[in-house]
Amino acid sequence: MGWAQKLCETYDRISRSAPSSGFKPVAPVGFTEKRADYLVTLDKRGELFGIHKFGQSIVVPTLSSAENKTSSVIAPYPFSDELRYMAGDLDSCWKTRVYSKFFNPYIEQLGAWCARDDAPEDLRIIYWYLKKCQLMSDLMAHGLKLMKKDVKKTLVFTVMSNDGGYLWERDDFKKSWLKYLRETQTREKQLCYIQGDMLVIQDKHTKLFSNAKLISADDTNNIFKFKGRFIDAEQALSVSFDASSKINNTLKWLKDRQGFSRFGIHVIMWSPGGAPVKSAFDDNFFLDDEDDPPDTMEAYGKMLAKSLAGYRQRLIYDDNIDFSQVVVLGLEAATLGRMSIIHYQEMSISQYIENLQNWYSHCVWRLERTQDDKTTRFISSPTPREIATLLYGEASVLAAYRDARADKAITRQIRGMYMRLLQCIAEKRPLPVDIVKSAFHKVSNPLRYTLRNGGWDKRQWMRSLAIFCALNAKYAYDTKKEVRQVALDLEKTERNYLYGRLLAVANQVETLAMIDNSAADKSARQTNAIRYMQAMQLRPVETWRRINNLMIPYLGKLKAPWVFTNTLNEIGEKIDFSDNSPLDGRFLEGYYAQGYAYQLAAKQKKEREGAITNDGTEEQN
């Protein structure tokens, strides 16, 4: 139960400290966060002053019975609840006999709280008003039209005060409820396995996310449940009310503050000592707003080192935090009512930063990014969503995002991929070879990337190509400790890399030859290099001969064909054309590097031409 102890430890710390700017404080023990649809305001005489739509989440008193109620169980919350629990005149207004069974236990429970000497006077005013059973009539008189379908709308009450604050935010209100709750807990104290003290044990635990519980034991009627080892469930595990409340409230607070929730999983990374922890799924983990996007590996390395050094310094020189641990917790709703822990890891913050550095240092390439409505390409790491898009396609990823129940086959596949990437990023595990191979087979077949009109989706393929190169670079480092370079390496004699360069030259020749072509849609036309890419990967020697023959007519259309023939000859001299074995992922790296070198040269030429003035002289900058 190390995860439970860490959550209790975290609660004890964050409940004593001031909340971060923009974030709500964690809900105290005995309270929960609940969304209120309407706010009802009373004056000091106990008359209805006003009602309006609220639609905010507030922290209100709670009971385990209320949080665990189902459609067949009547269990009111102590203060804020649904209309059917709080309005005692629903039956008379709607000529029914079904709602008194909800109102009676609610008003009885609220009356027991208000009977205490320390109960706030404003709470008694609310109790006296509700006891008159005229709430629904007053709401209709104030113009609020509520139908029978609205009986589950949640209401919260407050009383007008000079300071303008809400009743549920006052300290006397919170202290009164917690004291009442402690004194009404009649169960015998037992040893809490999490906190190690003799405390009141909780038998029904709170729902964590949606209807799923993390701690649950609801099968005591099965005589074979404990297989002779225990007599009852509490002998197997006993969790106190305090520990259960701390665990659930802390998890909800962390999830909203720094958690990742998608595809039916919840991944939370935090430090029990209070240190700020960057998420492993952050899209731009080390890219600061004031930094220019890095265009070279050298610039990217400097930016990465700067960000890491700054992050470490903020942690070390902050006396208010404990520079100790990072906890990574992964949760999944195994069924509609049960939450399971699918990943748990504890490590030092230094180790966590080192693991992140390992990923962001080696899983990098020149990727397309959009900032301030401007699309550029610079050195960065692919996000998990980009990797999922490469492996499964954009349509499948969108379908998984929209899968509210998270039970589709594609959602389960993407969920599994995310958890495997989490282990690679946060725990420094090697990138799985099946992910790299799957990406390679998809990218080496450019013709599979199509638009809705049937044309070739060149842009999406180029994005996928760059993402694959980043994954391949990471896999090369994991398996061989090789550090791949994004820039074109003219000295590289590796066979796969050279074949990629050859194909990029052939693609450039045909592209330039088609510039004056009057075809309506040139972007949708694939060159022979693109058409035969997959064949060249499988049978490079014979396929290159065919591409070379098809390239000859296009060379004749160029003004300076020798520029490309010289490059082809230089590359060809380094290749053994007797080896016809299939090419690996380095082949695509060579293609990308040579192709980007041509794009960069064209861009620089255009910039030089744009710097020439009308009189033919070059501007002095």
Side-chain angles (χ1 to χ4, degrees):
M1 299 290 284
W3 59 271
Q5 293 170 335
K6 292 298 178 184
L7 287 168
C8 290
E9 178 185 340
T10 304
Y11 174 88
D12 291 338
R13 180 177 182 86
I14 61 179
S15 62
R16 294 193 300 265
S17 59
S20 302
S21 177
F23 293 101
K24 297 179 180 179
V26 62
V29 172
F31 292 77
T32 188
E33 190 169 320
K34 189 176 178 63
R35 187 179 187 275
D37 298 304
Y38 292 96
L39 173 64
V40 182
T41 305
L42 304 178
D43 58 24
K44 288 294 185 179
R45 297 174 301 170
E47 300 296 333
L48 184 65
F49 178 81
I51 180 172
H52 65 271
K53 289 186 177 180
F54 198 55
Q56 298 180 22
S57 293
I58 59 176
V59 176
V60 294
T62 187
L63 289 169
S64 60
S65 58
E67 294 198 61
N68 284 278
K69 64 183 174 184
T70 62
S71 57
S72 60
V73 176
I74 298 176
Y77 280 89
F79 177 63
S80 174
D81 213 323
E82 300 169 351
L83 175 66
R84 57 179 176 171
Y85 280 95
M86 303 185 76
D89 56 344
L90 283 181
D91 283 335
S92 59
C93 289
W94 289 342
K95 309 301 181 183
T96 63
R97 297 181 180 179
V98 298
Y99 295 109
S100 60
K101 62 182 180 181
F102 296 99
F103 174 74
N104 291 336
Y106 170 81
I107 201 68
E108 181 181 349
Q109 182 174 269
L110 182 60
W113 180 9
C114 292
R116 297 175 56 84
D117 294 337
D118 60 352
E121 185 61 29
D122 288 350
L123 184 66
R124 292 194 178 100
I125 293 175
I126 295 173
Y127 168 69
W128 292 330
Y129 171 77
L130 292 176
K131 195 174 181 181
K132 291 188 293 184
C133 297
Q134 62 184 49
L135 172 60
M136 189 61 186
S137 301
D138 287 350
L139 295 181
M140 291 189 296
H142 278 70
L144 185 64
K145 297 180 180 180
L146 293 172
M147 311 299 290
K148 290 184 179 180
K149 63 180 181 180
D150 298 320
V151 294
K152 293 188 177 181
K153 295 289 186 180
T154 300
L155 279 66
V156 63
F157 277 74
T158 191
V159 178
M160 294 179 62
S161 60
N162 295 330
D163 60 5
Y166 295 125
L167 173 61
W168 63 85
E169 294 177 342
R170 288 165 32 183
D171 289 339
D172 61 334
F173 175 84
K174 296 177 182 179
K175 291 178 180 178
S176 173
W177 166 249
L178 190 56
K179 185 177 180 181
Y180 170 71
L181 180 64
R182 297 290 190 195
E183 293 180 1
T184 54
Q185 289 177 330
T186 58
R187 296 195 63 181
E188 184 178 341
K189 292 184 179 181
Q190 297 182 26
L191 177 64
C192 173
Y193 285 18
I194 295 175
Q195 295 190 287
D197 295 325
M198 299 298 291
L199 300 168
V200 176
I201 300 301
Q202 181 91 328
D203 58 343
K204 293 183 179 180
H205 300 272
T206 306
K207 298 172 183 177
L208 186 56
F209 305 133
S210 186
N211 289 323
K213 297 181 181 180
L214 186 56
I215 305 175
S216 177
D218 194 26
D219 197 17
T220 54
N221 293 329
N222 187 344
I223 60 174
F224 301 106
K225 181 67 178 180
F226 308 113
K227 297 181 180 179
R229 296 183 178 90
F230 309 106
I231 298 176
D232 54 40
E234 292 175 356
Q235 290 183 346
L237 176 66
S238 57
V239 179
S240 66
F241 167 80
D242 291 61
S244 178
S245 187
K246 289 179 179 181
I247 289 170
N248 286 282
N249 289 352
T250 304
L251 274 176
K252 292 176 182 178
W253 184 81
L254 289 170
K255 171 182 170 290
D256 294 337
R257 188 172 185 264
Q258 59 195 58
F260 170 86
S261 297
R262 197 75 83 224
F263 314 120
I265 57 173
H266 307 276
V267 179
I268 304 171
M269 283 150 275
W270 82 96
S271 170
V277 176
K278 290 181 176 288
S279 171
F281 287 151
D282 193 348
D283 288 352
N284 292 301
F285 188 90
F286 292 111
L287 186 59
D288 297 329
D289 294 335
E290 65 272 12
D291 291 330
D292 294 329
D295 190 52
T296 63
M297 285 296 293
E298 181 180 3
Y300 179 80
K302 291 180 179 179
M303 182 203 70
L304 186 63
K306 174 185 173 183
S307 298
L308 283 171
Y311 186 41
R312 289 179 185 274
Q313 290 295 104
R314 289 194 299 271
L315 293 176
I316 294 174
Y317 290 103
D318 190 339
D319 295 333
N320 296 321
I321 64 174
D322 176 17
F323 187 67
S324 56
Q325 276 190 321
V326 167
V327 181
V328 183
L329 179 65
L331 304 171
E332 177 185 354
T335 65
L336 293 179
R338 299 291 182 267
M339 184 72 68
S340 62
I341 296 177
I342 57 175
H343 182 88
Y344 182 74
Q345 184 71 26
E346 296 179 16
M347 66 192 82
S348 66
I349 289 183
S350 296
Q351 183 63 52
Y352 181 69
I353 295 176
E354 180 183 334
N355 296 347
L356 292 173
Q357 181 184 21
N358 175 73
W359 174 268
Y360 286 96
S361 296
H362 302 108
C363 188
V364 292
W365 209 257
R366 184 175 285 105
L367 305 177
E368 185 175 292
R369 291 284 183 265
T370 300
Q371 288 185 330
D372 300 327
D373 298 328
K374 182 181 178 181
T375 300
T376 57
R377 283 194 286 178
F378 55 87
I379 306 297
S380 61
S381 294
T383 66
R385 174 162 182 170
E386 289 174 326
I387 298 173
T389 301
L390 166 58
L391 295 176
Y392 302 103
E394 181 67 23
S396 297
V397 173
L398 288 176
Y401 266 81
R402 296 167 182 166
D403 183 11
R405 295 176 61 90
D407 57 357
K408 293 182 179 179
I410 187 61
T411 308
R412 293 195 296 269
Q413 292 180 40
I414 295 177
R415 178 167 64 220
M417 187 217 72
Y418 263 72
M419 294 309 301
R420 298 175 75 191
L421 287 180
L422 174 65
Q423 295 174 343
C424 298
I425 299 172
E427 298 182 20
K428 203 177 177 180
R429 295 192 185 184
L431 189 64
V433 64
D434 62 292
I435 290 180
V436 181
K437 285 185 176 180
S438 178
F440 175 59
H441 290 307
K442 285 178 169 60
V443 176
S444 60
N445 181 16
L447 302 183
R448 69 184 301 273
Y449 292 83
T450 56
L451 299 167
R452 290 184 178 180
N453 61 7
W456 181 44
D457 193 350
K458 179 180 179 180
R459 183 176 184 181
Q460 185 59 41
W461 177 72
M462 289 297 296
R463 288 175 176 173
S464 299
L465 173 62
I467 295 169
F468 164 75
C469 290
L471 295 175
N472 200 50
K474 180 64 169 64
Y475 183 73
Y477 180 81
D478 290 339
T479 56
K480 305 174 185 178
K481 298 303 178 183
E482 291 183 9
V483 178
R484 300 287 171 84
Q485 297 296 324
V486 179
L488 176 63
D489 188 351
L490 298 176
E491 305 300 324
K492 181 67 67 176
T493 59
E494 205 272 333
R495 168 178 171 268
N496 298 275
Y497 192 84
L498 295 175
Y499 268 113
R501 290 187 60 194
L502 282 178
L503 197 64
V505 175
N507 181 72
Q508 181 70 4
V509 168
E510 189 170 346
T511 300
L512 293 177
M514 290 191 301
I515 287 180
D516 298 329
N517 195 317
S518 59
D521 188 5
K522 301 171 189 175
S523 63
R525 185 191 185 282
Q526 306 96 354
T527 64
N528 289 311
I530 295 298
R531 290 194 186 101
Y532 286 100
M533 178 174 285
Q534 188 178 32
M536 188 167 181
Q537 184 267 319
L538 297 173
R539 299 175 297 279
V541 175
E542 58 189 76
T543 306
W544 172 244
R545 290 171 183 166
R546 178 175 294 181
I547 295 174
N548 193 30
N549 292 333
L550 294 172
M551 184 174 51
I552 294 176
Y554 296 105
L555 283 169
K557 297 180 180 181
L558 301 180
K559 295 180 180 179
W562 60 85
V563 175
F564 297 98
T565 55
N566 289 342
T567 303
L568 291 171
N569 291 334
E570 291 175 3
I571 298 173
E573 290 176 355
K574 304 174 184 178
I575 298 178
D576 178 12
F577 286 101
S578 63
D579 184 1
N580 197 33
S581 58
L583 304 174
D584 61 20
R586 202 69 196 273
F587 158 69
L588 294 177
E589 289 184 22
Y591 178 89
Y592 182 97
Q594 184 68 59
Y596 184 78
Y598 284 132
Q599 295 176 25
L600 185 61
K603 179 182 177 182
Q604 293 172 347
K605 179 181 178 182
K606 186 176 181 180
E607 291 175 350
R608 288 195 303 269
E609 292 174 349
I612 303 298
T613 60
N614 292 332
D615 60 0
T617 60
E618 189 172 10
E619 292 181 351
Q620 300 296 319
N621 295 326

